[in-house]
Amino acid sequence: TPSKYAIMQISDVDNGLGHVAFVESVDPDGTWHISEMNVLGLYIVDHKAMPASAAASYNFIHTKV
């Protein structure tokens, strides 16, 4: 599940590439907000809001507390 400061990860099985993003926050309704880089262009950081239902499609790496 997404949580603040987690790393979101997805693998692209078609061409061997994957993607990671940083989970900035999670809203009470489960919407989670990410920042990512190089999607819109090289060295460009963008931000997205992801619906709670999308979480099942991704892996999350959580920090140890």
Side-chain angles (χ1 to χ4, degrees):
T1 56
S3 63
K4 187 173 183 176
Y5 306 134
I7 303 297
M8 178 209 82
Q9 183 272 330
I10 189 168
S11 299
D12 182 343
V13 295
D14 294 333
N15 61 19
L17 298 176
H19 185 65
V20 295
F22 183 75
V23 180
E24 299 280 351
S25 63
V26 180
D27 295 342
D29 70 356
T31 300
W32 40 292
H33 303 266
I34 63 168
S35 58
E36 58 187 352
M37 189 175 199
N38 299 334
V39 173
L40 299 178
L42 194 60
Y43 306 118
I44 298 173
V45 176
D46 67 282
H47 303 272
K48 289 182 184 166
M50 309 288 284
S53 60
S57 299
Y58 300 92
N59 300 310
F60 295 91
I61 302 166
H62 301 277
T63 59
K64 278 189 164 182
V65 179

